[in-house]
Amino acid sequence: MSARYAYLGPAGTFTEAALRQVAAPDEATYLPQVDVVAAIEAVRTGSADYAVVAIENSVEGGVTAVLDALAVGDPLVVLREMLVPVTFTLAARPGTALADVRRISAHPHAWAQCRHWLADHLPGVVHVPATSNTAPAALLAGERTDLGFDAALVPPPAVQHYGLAVVAEHVSDNESAVTRFVLVGRPGRLPEPTGADKTTLVVHLPSNQAGALLEMLEQFSTRGVNLSRIESRPIGDSLGRYSFSIDAEGHLADERMAEALMGLHRVCPHVRFLGSYPRVDAPYGDVRPGTSDADFRDARAWVTALREASAT
């Protein structure tokens, strides 16, 4: 039986493009979902083996729905990451001109990435939120006439897939935008370290006192672990209480990363490990002197020798 992958559908989304980097349609079962939380929950309930979800965009930052869904509930881990360039086309049913467009359906992230173009070319246009980047395209391809919108911001491949007409191309404010997607699965054997890896964590601060954030960050800095992403998210039980979603450079198998995690476990009330996996963007910088695996092993051997000598 082929592996089952839950992803944000319908067909033609950027998420499906990311999924195709993991497994081709003829070697896997694609399970389109109505939103990213449903995709993650499909893995938790066992109706899917894996989920592919967007976790970060180079323009809009972290995808909060994904960060929050991974921070609570039954533990899941990130197994790999994929990058997908993100651009948008304004599409509609054939015969629609730009001057005819009064209401546009778009996923909130798509709208945010096209807001300046829309303000310049369609001032006063109304945003009709969509659940995904291709959901409005699928509606436009149907027979309903009471959609409540005239056009949609969609990935360029969706125009031909759904038989739509191009109203305007290159409507993204940043044509170099990219979204990072992750493959999520149930805990098990981690991907082997490659020397260019990433570890994702959710960490609660040890207290709400001055210096608490510094105390948490020192667990990384003193071991020479660089952070490539850190975002605060409300815990939700009261105002002023936050957790931190973190991407740290390195693998659980690395001595410096293991030491940092032990430090976090000692000083922070809650640490959720969300996996170590190969990174696909630029490799991280040189290891700081004194923080290589050999340095940690030598230091541990030295302390062990001191203890043994004092015991005799």
Side-chain angles (χ1 to χ4, degrees), residues 35-221:
D35 56 44
V36 292
V37 175
I40 291 170
E41 290 303 319
V43 180
R44 288 190 169 123
T45 62
S47 59
D49 301 304
Y50 305 99
V52 172
V53 291
I55 196 170
E56 180 184 14
N57 178 266
S58 60
V59 175
E60 288 297 297
V63 180
T64 57
V66 171
L67 299 179
D68 293 346
L70 293 176
V72 297
D74 294 339
L76 297 174
V77 293
V78 177
L79 300 171
R80 62 174 287 184
E81 62 179 6
M82 301 76 70
L83 300 181
V84 176
V86 175
T87 60
F88 293 96
T89 295
L90 184 63
R93 287 170 172 167
T96 304
L98 186 63
D100 301 326
V101 177
R102 298 289 182 271
R103 298 170 65 86
I104 295 177
S105 184
H107 188 275
H109 277 265
W111 186 265
Q113 293 181 60
C114 302
R115 61 166 64 96
H116 295 300
W117 187 96
L118 294 167
D120 290 341
H121 296 84
L122 291 169
V125 70
V126 175
H127 177 207
V128 179
T131 56
S132 78
N133 289 314
T134 56
L139 291 173
L140 286 169
E143 298 181 355
R144 285 181 52 187
T145 58
D146 58 339
L147 296 179
F149 60 90
D150 312 303
L153 295 172
V154 301
V159 176
Q160 182 177 0
H161 181 87
Y162 289 99
L164 303 179
V166 172
V167 178
E169 295 181 292
H170 306 294
V171 300
S172 305
D173 298 331
N174 184 346
E175 291 287 310
S176 300
V178 63
T179 294
R180 181 165 72 99
F181 294 83
V182 291
L183 176 67
V184 176
R186 286 181 287 276
R189 185 178 180 85
L190 294 176
E192 293 295 324
T194 66
D197 303 287
K198 188 177 291 183
T199 294
T200 298
L201 307 164
V202 174
V203 182
H204 291 192
L205 288 184
S207 70
N208 196 30
Q209 299 176 351
L213 177 58
L214 176 61
E215 184 178 7
M216 184 265 282
L217 294 175
E218 282 178 339
Q219 306 310 314
F220 297 102
S221 65

Side-chain angles (χ1 to χ4, degrees), residues 224-293:
V225 176
N226 188 44
L227 304 184
S228 59
R229 182 186 62 85
I230 178 169
E231 299 183 57
S232 63
R233 296 295 304 148
I235 294 175
D237 55 359
S238 64
L239 288 174
R241 282 182 30 85
Y242 292 88
S243 67
F244 287 85
S245 176
I246 296 171
D247 287 337
E249 294 179 346
H251 193 282
L252 180 62
D254 297 337
E255 293 283 348
R256 62 185 177 279
M257 182 63 73
E259 291 278 350
L261 291 181
M262 285 189 283
L264 291 172
H265 185 74
R266 285 189 291 104
V267 304
C268 297
H270 176 77
V271 180
R272 172 169 283 207
F273 174 74
L274 290 176
S276 292
Y277 49 93
R279 61 182 299 168
V280 297
D281 51 354
Y284 52 80
D286 295 335
V287 175
R288 195 174 74 196
T291 63
S292 70
D293 281 5

